[in-house]
Amino acid sequence: MTDAMHCEAGDWVEVECKLLDPADRSKNLPPETAAKPLMMWVKGFALDAAGEGEELTIETITGRSVTGALSAVNPGYYITYGDPIPELTHVGRDLRARLAAWRASGTA
């Protein structure tokens, strides 16, 4: 028995694809960014069985076919935009209240 990651056809997976080699990237990038390839990661359903790092074609939720190297099986979504900025946390609520008051005043 091995600890190697493996998927079967129909599994929810993530593949990694190289979009651009470093030589093909914009010349306006910082050197540490320009030295690396431009990569993307796409989630979808495996069309075949594959092991970690093996080429695999997936079908995304929107029906696109994407081929890349298997990078995760049953991946989740881990998105963060950092910590909230205290000065901005009330902006949306305050703006909606001001807009409602303006509309209620009848000057709209």
Side-chain angles (χ1 to χ4, degrees), residues 9-77:
D11 286 350
W12 180 250
V13 299
E14 179 180 77
V15 294
E16 178 179 282
C17 309
K18 183 177 5 174
L19 298 177
L20 292 173
D21 287 315
D24 299 325
R25 297 196 66 179
S26 172
K27 303 305 178 209
N28 297 327
L29 294 172
E32 60 275 9
T33 302
K36 297 179 180 172
L38 178 62
M39 305 295 291
M40 82 170 174
W41 291 263
V42 183
K43 295 175 177 72
F45 297 100
L47 298 182
D48 293 304
E52 183 175 9
E54 292 180 0
E55 190 170 277
L56 175 67
T57 300
I58 64 170
E59 182 177 329
T60 68
I61 290 288
T62 60
R64 291 184 305 130
S65 290
V66 177
T67 301
L70 178 64
S71 60
V73 176
N74 201 25
Y77 290 94

Side-chain angles (χ1 to χ4, degrees), residues 98-108:
R98 286 182 181 193
L99 187 55
W102 178 73
R103 286 181 177 153
S105 72
T107 58

